[in-house]
Amino acid sequence: MRAVWSHWTKPLKDHPGSTWISFRHYLLSFVLSFESARRYFSPTYLYTDKEGFQILVEAVGLPFDFVAIELDSLNDHCLYWWNMGKLYTYSQQTDPFIHLDNDVFIWESLPKRIMSAPLFAQNPEYFTNFSDYYLPVELENALASGWLPEEWLWGRNVFRNFQKAFNTGIYGGQRTDFVRYCAR
């Protein structure tokens, strides 16, 4: 199964409230994520922008098998949507894959039941309309005159104030058609 990472430079550099102590710490984490995972996954893919290519491939020297320099096309999007690079990357996958955040370290091979699953994610996360991390009401207000997927409307109706999301630090699966649908 292919291992995929994404790196969109602009929100990392310009997003207020970044969780990294320094850019160096971010890079060290990326190196460890790549090196720990490539023992178990092949080929390795990186979706990034021009600056990310210069940093991760040319300067740091990470030997990805495939690099797509496509995320500069996102630079007009709101930086608070820092995960847009991940969503774009998911939307490009046509073969079974595992997407790893740069702070995910794979110390041993993952169980076959996970690797053969139609879809897998790191872990469930539960929240309410009043959480400070997931902000479904803000999204709905921003799109009040726009379109929301029927799955979103169904989930909000069924679960009401007690919602469930999935952390995508580790994300992927066999059903790339479904993954692409959700990402788009």
Side-chain angles (χ1 to χ4, degrees), residues 94-135:
T94 56
D95 293 319
F97 74 100
I98 181 170
H99 181 280
L100 302 167
D101 280 359
N102 70 292
D103 59 353
V104 170
F105 316 117
I106 305 293
W107 303 118
E108 56 189 48
S109 61
L110 298 177
K112 286 186 180 184
R113 67 180 170 74
I114 293 174
M115 302 311 295
S116 63
L119 183 69
F120 56 82
Q122 183 173 311
N123 59 276
E125 296 181 329
Y126 303 93
F127 61 97
T128 69
N129 285 337
F130 308 106
S131 72
D132 61 353
Y133 189 74
Y134 288 103
L135 306 169

Side-chain angles (χ1 to χ4, degrees), residues 4 10 51 62 65 75 87 90 142 145 158:
V4 181
K10 188 171 180 176
E51 189 173 357
L62 292 176
D65 296 312
N75 285 343
L87 290 171
Y90 303 157
S145 61
V158 169

Side-chain angles (χ1 to χ4, degrees), residues 16-86:
S18 174
T19 59
W20 292 99
I21 295 171
S22 72
F23 191 64
R24 181 173 188 263
H25 287 89
Y26 170 84
L27 292 176
L28 290 170
S29 181
F30 213 116
V31 170
L32 185 56
S33 178
F34 177 80
E35 292 296 341
S36 69
R38 78 173 177 152
R39 294 178 295 168
Y40 304 105
F41 299 100
S42 181
T44 57
Y45 281 63
L46 172 66
Y47 285 76
T48 190
D49 47 35
K50 289 176 190 169
E51 189 173 357
F53 177 80
Q54 292 168 342
I55 294 167
L56 295 170
V57 176
E58 293 181 336
V60 174
L62 292 176
F64 290 96
D65 296 312
F66 174 83
V67 178
I69 304 172
E70 300 174 11
L71 299 188
D72 284 310
S73 65
L74 303 177
N75 285 343
D76 291 334
H77 290 280
C78 177
L79 297 180
Y80 287 102
W81 288 81
W82 56 266
N83 59 350
M84 187 72 69
K86 288 171 64 165

